[in-house]
Amino acid sequence: MSSSTAAKIKRQAAPAESSDDRPALLLDWYDRHRRRLPWRPPAGERADPYRVWLSEIMLQQTGVKTVGPYFEKFLARWPDVAALGRASLDDVLRMWAGLGYYSRARNLHACAVAVLRDHGGVFPETEEGLRKLPGIGPYTAAAIGAIAFDIRTMPVDGNIERVVSRLYAVEEPLPQAKPLIQELASTLLGPSRAGDENSRAGDSAQALMDLGSSICTPKKPACALCPLNEDCAARLRGDQETFPRKAPKKTGTLRRGAAFIVTRGDELLVRTRAENGLLGSMTEVPGSDWLVGQDDKAALKQAPAVKSVARWHRKAGVVTHVFTHFPLELVIYTAEVAARTRPPEGMRWVPIATLADEALPNVMRKAIAHGLGG
């Protein structure tokens, strides 16, 4: 640990009496209380790199409870990375629909293709090699490295940030505190077995993740059940719920737009979004640009040029959705067209009954439900 880090910890008055015992206490707790997760093998068995990678990508910005069914669905369809690498991007996006943050799905597919094409369907066993793959950054490379290959490294997710920031009472707010938290978290790596310097790195990381998920929760942490409670600086101060410190969150400016629900009997008019950018390659109903301060008249002028539409009917109310960087309001317009009406260029008719099979993001599902509702 650097002298600057040590000085920061000293200023924060973190207790040190039992610091050498922390990794062992943590692993002992994990051996008794580890969560059962679909991507986690039984104790003593080596993790499947494909399952670790797939779960880590899905868990970015998404909770375990939500990810579970998607993980099982992907695994049933594509049991290994080679199978996923041979799939089409459209199929992957359809299976991902509803999970959000769709750039993850595009990177997931690109990574599988790269592993199949460049590595014979086998993941690299080094952090450096993993980071060269599409969609794998420093955290994901460390997570796969530690959990699947027992590389002696510590990935730091939101749960681990919370545990470590409380354990050491890290006063510096996020995201500035990330390097310090990373360094402190690495001191919690478990002891190695004789002759094996990489032993149980993955278990140490997963122990901290489980501790943050089940005990050291954001609100009302169960400190009495924590294996590290006697050595936690924030608990000794009584202000554990105030950690990690966070800079004020910036809220994006509201954007507005329109979505156009056009039906031809039991079919709906849709199109595919551009490959790059927000919701890239996803299916959507035609719509206007999403702009700050856009009025309804300007949005209506961007309606699709469907020849037999004489008049657009505006539905009461609006559809709201919140993206990472901005909230959105959509006005919904509807129209019905004759049976033989051709779709505008770049659009297509799809049966309403098969919409569940389309790669529709949640905002589009909301718009369609509003437009097709009574």
Side-chain angles (χ1 to χ4, degrees):
M1 185 181 300
S2 69
S3 58
S4 62
T5 299
K8 285 183 180 180
I9 297 171
K10 186 176 181 180
R11 288 199 301 272
Q12 288 153 196
E17 297 80 16
S18 58
S19 60
D20 292 342
D21 298 332
R22 291 171 183 154
L25 289 169
L26 194 60
L27 285 171
D28 181 61
W29 175 86
Y30 180 69
D31 288 340
R32 289 179 286 115
H33 301 289
R34 56 185 282 152
R35 288 180 292 175
R36 292 184 178 180
L37 299 171
W39 45 85
R40 185 178 287 176
E45 292 186 16
R46 188 161 186 173
D48 177 0
Y50 173 65
R51 293 187 177 214
V52 176
W53 163 72
L54 182 60
S55 65
E56 286 296 336
I57 300 299
M58 289 184 167
L59 287 165
Q60 293 169 7
Q61 308 292 330
T62 309
V64 167
K65 190 175 292 187
T66 301
V67 164
Y70 280 89
F71 177 86
E72 298 281 18
K73 185 170 64 171
F74 264 72
L75 203 64
R77 179 75 176 274
W78 301 297
D80 54 42
V81 70
L84 184 57
R86 288 190 290 267
S88 71
L89 176 58
D90 285 345
D91 282 347
V92 172
L93 288 170
R94 288 190 188 97
M95 291 284 276
W96 190 277
L99 197 53
Y101 300 92
Y102 294 96
S103 62
R104 294 181 299 169
R106 295 192 294 276
N107 285 331
L108 186 83
H109 181 257
C111 184
V113 170
V115 172
L116 178 60
R117 181 190 63 224
D118 302 331
H119 301 277
V122 178
F123 280 91
E125 296 190 16
T126 65
E127 280 189 83
E128 181 182 6
L130 289 165
R131 287 184 65 174
K132 292 178 180 179
L133 295 170
I136 296 186
Y139 164 77
T140 306
I144 298 170
I147 298 169
F149 302 119
D150 253 342
I151 297 171
R152 198 165 178 77
T153 185
M154 177 61 77
V156 177
D157 67 353
N159 283 320
I160 295 179
E161 280 183 343
R162 186 166 58 255
V163 172
V164 172
S165 67
R166 289 172 175 175
L167 185 61
Y168 292 95
V170 176
E171 293 288 353
E172 192 174 7
L174 292 171
Q176 293 90 338
K178 284 182 179 290
L180 174 59
I181 291 174
Q182 176 71 64
E183 191 166 354
L184 293 171
S186 296
T187 68
L188 299 173
L189 282 167
S192 59
R193 296 189 187 97
D196 182 4
E197 64 178 13
N198 295 329
S199 175
R200 302 211 72 180
D203 284 349
S204 294
Q206 291 175 107
L208 282 171
M209 293 173 185
D210 283 9
L211 190 67
S213 174
S214 60
I215 302 294
C216 196
T217 50
K219 296 180 180 179
K220 297 183 179 179
C223 296
L225 302 177
C226 178
L228 307 179
N229 58 12
E230 293 183 3
D231 200 23
C232 178
R235 176 178 177 269
L236 293 174
R237 290 166 32 155
D239 61 352
Q240 55 268 48
E241 286 193 42
T242 68
F243 292 93
R245 308 293 201 213
K246 294 182 180 179
K249 192 174 182 179
K250 295 180 180 179
T251 303
T253 304
L254 174 68
R255 300 186 192 181
R256 302 185 73 250
F260 300 94
I261 307 298
V262 188
T263 54
R264 187 181 72 172
D266 60 358
E267 296 177 310
L268 179 70
L269 185 67
V270 300
R271 65 188 180 189
T272 300
R273 290 178 66 89
E275 182 177 346
N276 298 319
L278 184 65
L279 305 179
S281 299
M282 301 296 289
T283 302
E284 67 172 0
V285 295
S288 72
D289 294 331
W290 300 341
L291 303 174
V292 174
Q294 177 161 245
D295 60 45
D296 294 348
K297 289 183 178 180
L300 184 55
K301 289 180 180 177
Q302 299 174 59
V306 184
K307 289 184 178 179
S308 57
V309 173
R311 181 170 174 269
W312 291 100
H313 301 274
R314 177 175 171 173
K315 297 281 287 190
V318 296
V319 168
T320 61
H321 191 79
V322 178
F323 291 99
T324 307
H325 301 298
F326 65 91
L328 175 68
E329 282 186 0
L330 291 177
V331 175
I332 306 298
Y333 292 95
T334 66
E336 297 179 5
V337 298
R340 295 186 179 181
T341 303
R342 297 177 64 85
E345 185 177 355
M347 303 185 194
R348 63 187 188 277
W349 299 106
V350 297
I352 294 172
T354 65
L355 285 177
D357 298 327
E358 289 289 332
L360 288 162
N362 284 335
V363 64
M364 288 298 130
R365 293 184 186 276
K366 291 181 186 179
I368 292 168
H370 191 79
L372 297 180

